[in-house]
Amino acid sequence: TWQHMGLTGTHTIPRIAIDPKNPDIVYVASSGHEWTDNEDRGLYKTTDGGESWEKILYIDERTGVIDLVMHPDNPKILYASTWQRIRRKWNDPRVEPGYDKNTIYKTTNGGKSWKEVSTGLVRAEDRGRIGIDICRSEPDVLYAFVDNYEAARVPEEGELNSYGLPRQAVIRGATVYRTDNGGGEWHQVSETNKYMESLSNTYGWVFGQIRVDPNDPDRIYVMGLALHMSKNGGKTFKRIGRMHGDHHGLWIDPANSKYLVNVNDGGVAISYDGGKHFRDFTDDFPLVQFFNVSYDMDDPFTVIGSIQDHGSFKAEVDLSRGRHHIPAEEWDRAPGGEGTRHAIDPTDPNTVYASSFYGRLGRTDLKSEERTSVLPNPDEGELPFRGQWLSATIISPHNPRVIYHGMNYLFRSMDRGDNWERISPDLTYNDPAKYGDIPYQTIFAVAESPFSFGTIYVGTDDGRIHRTTNSGTDWTELTSNVPVHQWVSKIVASEHTDGTVYLTQNGKRFDDFAAYVWKSSDKGDTWEDISGNIPCGPVNAITEDPKNPNVLYVGTDLGVYVTLDGGGTWQTLTADIPTTFVHDVTVHPREDLLIAATEGRGMYVMDIRYIQQMVDSVQNSALFVFAPDEAKLPRGWRRAGITGNIVYALNAASDVTIEISDAEGNTVRTLKHSGIVGINQVEWNLRMDPEEEDGYGDRVEPGTYTIVVKGNGVRAEGAIVVIDN
């Protein structure tokens, strides 16, 4: 269990140091808000176990503390590295003109006073993020891992950066310094070469982690795209392990330096021999980070999504054991990369459109495995089109040959992507000051009305919303009464009512964590706030229930929420899904399954037929029993059956008794359940009551069984059919 101890306004906490002699004394480093300036940056200290906090080191509203180490023998001696940074929507954090506050501080009196200890480091104007560590066995020895912005060389002709753009001056990047006198003076120990340049590439701001062997001051580890080790005090490095890329943490056992625990973007890896071999736990933890989800209309149907660092994958949804026992599946490769949205032809599950990596677009025939690039190209002399990491690609609900693709312009193809026409002007703010390494000012959300071909809604990452009712001949801006500049994360044109549109906005890039959910009943001319009681955003996606027009689902950074009254009130859907970042949600219209793509917990599905039936009369009933699915007896040990799934709803919590009787009225099974307000599920294993308390009853025979549910002082009945397998 955990208790919240404050410092909410910091947003990001990179390091905590606890006094080993007094655990009520704790130091917390705050690097602050990611996207905006704020005064909660700095270093905090508590002497009462977190009941109160004092800020003991503060530079300014853009400079936080990114790393912190404590002297192993004297807890009043600490070293803190500061980082002046802000993240731009069009550029990663970097040293900007005027930045000179990235440095290292030392205190010898528990934070009462601080002294800058940066002599020997690269000049302040060229320092990026700084990671630090101390050797426990020789605590005068410390290392600093500096993201060095000194120019290293002129790029080679045609050399591209990590974003696929022409490379500018190449910086030195990863540079390691050492002090042997507690920060009195530093000297560079690492080489200046292409190996060190490529260690973090242009992502030095992401890593910045260094560790010193607690028993050997000359053995150090630095983390970048891979894990690197030096045995000679940083003079030379070699890559160790073949784990997943992007390394962010390493623990070294002080009692056994050969025992290493590494964390990276793929999970956890452990070495027991000092890094010669690593045991990878990637398959043991459900850590898959899905960006999105789409589905086909095959039977059984397939879901498809893109995964960070891995590419795109697909899997069938197996309903053979019942909709309440959908198993985990092995996933197969699918068209697209790691940043891909998929649009699958509803009339042909073998035709998949995959947009990836800043607007690239391809069409794949899964049967022949033939892939065709169908990306629109700019005219000669025109600037390249800007496309988001997850570009918007949809298939028209009126004709599966009609494809829409969003860059900074909206494009339409009438022939499956073979030919394109530009049907909009630049629909973003198109501010040249916001051109950068990362494409920004792009179309992120597109929806076409299922009632009217050519009525299209477009939302951008810089917060503009437009509508056309004539396939792009004219465009109307719809941004007037929603928050300006907020990322439009999803637009849904209702399938139930012409003119009804739903829209979500994500304020994360303004450090705004409100829930923005909007509804329009007049094609976007006006917007109504339907976020209701959703406690927190950002909101990443919204989808409409295909059967019940009052039911909507949203995915937020904290999970999935559902409304039964069109957005008046919301409830969380947390039965089997943990509190987690939900990137995308959608509903399979034939199977009535809600699908959620999570950032770090894989893909989930939920049977929503009972939610669809939660009309006012059901919600107001003291007790309501839903019609059960057909159950199927197992056949021996090899062929599983489908257990009975008894679902009921209560308007007040109550202990519940369920009696199951055969056609002659004989009670074959009695079940007890503690019912909560709302929908409840009880599983019946198709056995009779056991003769002994801890025994198994006999299997029931095929037939129709009456279910009587008693609770809240009332009773309700249903029937379940059990068939042979």
Side-chain angles (χ1 to χ4, degrees):
T1 59
W2 294 86
Q3 181 181 354
H4 183 240
M5 301 307 295
L7 300 183
T8 306
T10 58
H11 284 200
T12 57
I13 293 176
R15 194 75 72 211
I16 298 173
I18 303 174
D19 188 331
K21 299 178 181 179
N22 183 353
D24 283 336
I25 299 177
V26 182
Y27 301 86
V28 173
S30 163
S31 51
H33 292 192
E34 186 173 8
W35 303 89
T36 57
D37 295 335
N38 78 300
E39 295 183 352
D40 291 291
R41 302 181 197 269
L43 182 63
Y44 293 83
K45 178 180 180 179
T46 179
T47 58
D48 54 14
E51 296 295 333
S52 61
W53 294 92
E54 177 188 3
K55 189 187 293 186
I56 59 172
L57 178 61
Y58 176 71
I59 309 302
D60 61 33
E61 69 280 358
R62 191 170 289 189
T63 306
V65 175
I66 190 62
D67 212 346
L68 176 70
V69 292
M70 179 183 286
H71 194 290
D73 303 321
N74 184 351
K76 290 187 176 182
I77 299 176
L78 297 102
Y79 301 84
S81 63
T82 57
W83 189 22
Q84 185 178 15
R85 73 93 167 89
I86 194 171
R87 190 169 184 178
R88 308 289 185 183
K89 303 171 190 67
W90 53 92
N91 275 327
D92 287 330
R94 59 184 57 188
V95 174
E96 298 185 7
Y99 281 16
D100 60 0
K101 297 181 176 64
N102 298 330
T103 191
I104 302 172
Y105 288 92
K106 178 180 181 179
T107 180
T108 58
N109 52 19
K112 293 179 182 178
S113 60
W114 294 86
K115 176 184 177 182
E116 184 177 356
V117 287
S118 60
T119 301
L121 298 179
V122 63
R123 66 176 191 153
E125 292 83 354
D126 290 322
R127 296 179 206 146
R129 177 173 174 169
I130 303 173
I132 54 176
D133 199 19
I134 190 169
C135 180
R136 293 172 61 92
S137 58
E138 296 186 26
D140 282 339
V141 176
L142 290 91
Y143 287 86
F145 181 28
V146 179
D147 187 21
N148 185 346
Y149 275 75
E150 284 184 313
R153 60 181 175 86
V154 176
E156 299 172 5
E157 185 176 353
E159 187 174 356
L160 302 178
N161 64 17
S162 301
Y163 308 97
L165 301 173
R167 196 161 193 175
Q168 306 301 316
V170 180
I171 65 171
R172 295 190 186 278
T175 307
V176 179
Y177 293 84
R178 172 172 169 158
T179 177
D180 293 286
N181 56 4
E185 187 173 3
W186 299 85
H187 58 278
Q188 181 177 334
V189 292
S190 62
E191 296 177 310
T192 300
N193 54 26
K194 285 193 174 182
Y195 182 97
M196 297 303 293
E197 283 176 24
S198 64
L199 193 145
S200 300
N201 211 326
T202 56
Y203 304 117
W205 65 278
V206 171
F207 303 115
Q209 300 284 329
I210 186 168
R211 298 291 183 271
V212 187
D213 188 318
N215 304 298
D216 181 354
D218 291 325
R219 184 185 295 265
I220 62 175
Y221 301 84
V222 293
M223 280 149 275
L225 298 170
L227 178 61
H228 304 262
M229 180 180 68
S230 172
K231 297 180 181 179
N232 54 13
K235 294 178 183 178
T236 58
F237 286 89
K238 71 172 183 177
R239 176 177 175 173
I240 61 172
R242 294 293 171 184
M243 301 84 74
H244 190 94
D246 297 350
H247 292 253
H248 302 287
L250 181 71
W251 177 78
I252 307 170
D253 187 346
N256 177 10
S257 295
K258 292 185 177 182
Y259 179 22
L260 310 174
V261 181
N262 167 254
V263 289
N264 54 64
D265 274 11
V268 180
I270 294 178
S271 175
Y272 302 102
D273 57 9
K276 294 179 182 178
H277 306 88
F278 277 87
R279 180 183 176 189
D280 199 324
F281 290 84
T282 304
D283 294 335
D284 298 278
F285 294 103
L287 302 177
V288 177
Q289 302 175 46
F290 275 103
F291 288 119
N292 58 292
V293 59
S294 298
Y295 57 79
D296 66 21
M297 294 303 293
D298 208 358
D299 191 8
F301 77 93
T302 294
V303 295
I304 185 171
S306 62
I307 301 172
Q308 184 192 5
D309 288 347
H310 286 281
S312 293
F313 284 78
K314 59 186 175 71
E316 282 188 356
V317 178
D318 181 4
L319 302 179
S320 64
R321 303 178 204 176
R323 300 166 65 92
H324 59 297
H325 274 302
I326 300 174
E329 293 290 342
E330 291 288 337
W331 289 67
D332 299 318
R333 288 280 181 183
E338 65 168 307
T340 295
R341 280 180 172 170
H342 303 88
I344 307 172
D345 189 328
T347 64
D348 177 12
N350 289 309
T351 299
V352 179
Y353 301 87
S355 58
S356 64
F357 282 8
Y358 307 124
R360 299 177 179 90
L361 182 62
R363 183 185 68 230
T364 300
D365 185 323
L366 296 180
K367 187 176 293 185
S368 66
E369 298 185 349
E370 179 183 358
R371 182 189 182 278
T372 304
S373 176
V374 292
L375 179 66
N377 293 309
D379 296 332
E380 186 176 351
E382 188 178 17
L383 288 174
F385 299 139
R386 300 186 302 274
Q388 248 309 323
W389 174 257
L390 293 167
S391 294
T393 304
I394 67 167
I395 297 174
S396 171
H398 303 278
N399 185 339
R401 295 180 60 84
V402 178
I403 314 299
Y404 297 99
H405 184 59
M407 304 282 273
N408 48 319
Y409 305 94
L410 184 66
F411 294 88
R412 182 180 69 181
S413 172
M414 303 292 283
D415 55 8
R416 303 169 69 243
D418 291 335
N419 297 281
W420 293 92
E421 56 182 323
R422 192 184 310 188
I423 64 169
S424 81
D426 191 319
L427 294 176
T428 74
Y429 287 108
N430 192 26
D431 181 356
K434 296 178 181 178
Y435 294 168
D437 288 340
I438 300 172
Y440 178 61
Q441 303 176 119
T442 69
I443 293 170
F444 191 74
V446 179
E448 184 178 27
S449 168
F451 293 93
S452 174
F453 178 76
T455 295
I456 307 164
Y457 303 89
V458 172
T460 68
D461 57 12
D462 60 351
R464 297 189 81 178
I465 308 161
H466 287 87
R467 177 195 67 220
T468 178
T469 57
N470 51 18
S471 294
T473 301
D474 303 289
W475 289 89
T476 302
E477 183 152 12
L478 311 173
T479 319
S480 58
N481 64 335
V482 297
V484 296
H485 300 298
Q486 301 282 31
W487 190 300
V488 178
S489 54
K490 195 70 175 283
I491 299 177
V492 172
S494 174
E495 295 184 357
H496 297 291
T497 307
D498 189 13
T500 294
V501 187
Y502 300 98
L503 179 143
T504 57
Q505 291 176 292
N506 185 315
K508 180 185 304 179
R509 292 156 188 84
F510 289 95
D511 290 311
D512 178 356
F513 298 96
Y516 293 115
V517 187
W518 306 93
K519 175 183 178 180
S520 175
S521 301
D522 52 14
K523 298 184 178 181
D525 288 336
T526 59
W527 296 97
E528 174 192 0
D529 180 4
I530 60 168
S531 61
N533 60 322
I534 298 175
C536 184
V539 179
N540 305 307
I542 185 169
T543 193
E544 186 181 46
D545 190 278
K547 301 292 195 304
N548 187 333
N550 291 318
V551 176
L552 303 166
Y553 310 89
V554 297
T556 76
D557 277 17
L558 296 178
V560 182
Y561 291 83
V562 61
T563 178
L564 305 178
D565 56 8
T569 56
W570 295 83
Q571 301 173 54
T572 180
L573 290 177
T574 56
D576 295 307
I577 188 171
T579 299
T580 189
F581 185 132
V582 176
H583 244 306
D584 198 7
V585 288
T586 190
V587 176
H588 195 282
R590 184 188 68 226
E591 301 295 347
D592 295 321
L593 288 171
L594 176 67
I595 315 165
T598 75
E599 175 85 1
R601 294 300 187 105
M603 194 81 76
Y604 285 79
V605 294
M606 170 186 271
D607 183 3
I608 57 171
R609 293 172 303 161
Y610 308 109
I611 294 175
Q612 293 171 337
Q613 298 175 57
M614 289 292 284
V615 295
D616 288 345
S617 59
V618 174
Q619 294 182 59
N620 294 329
S621 296
L623 172 64
F624 182 87
V625 176
F626 297 95
D629 287 337
E630 192 175 70
K632 184 182 293 186
L633 290 163
R635 184 175 174 183
W637 292 101
R638 294 186 177 181
R639 184 172 296 179
I642 300 176
T643 57
N645 189 36
I646 300 167
V647 185
Y648 65 92
L650 296 171
N651 68 358
S654 173
D655 290 334
V656 169
T657 300
I658 302 170
E659 295 176 352
I660 304 170
S661 303
D662 61 19
E664 285 73 40
N666 301 311
T667 300
V668 298
R669 191 67 187 267
T670 301
L671 302 170
K672 302 288 186 180
H673 193 234
S674 295
I676 62 172
V677 176
I679 298 172
N680 297 264
Q681 297 191 77
V682 179
E683 188 172 359
W684 174 36
N685 62 3
L686 306 185
R687 291 183 179 273
M688 300 181 184
D689 283 323
E691 294 182 5
E692 299 179 6
E693 186 173 341
D694 57 350
Y696 286 95
D698 294 333
R699 296 277 188 196
V700 298
E701 295 294 324
T704 300
Y705 291 81
T706 300
I707 301 168
V708 177
V709 182
K710 300 176 182 178
N712 268 342
V714 296
R715 56 179 280 161
E717 293 189 9
I720 184 169
V721 175
V722 179
I723 65 171
D724 201 0
N725 192 347

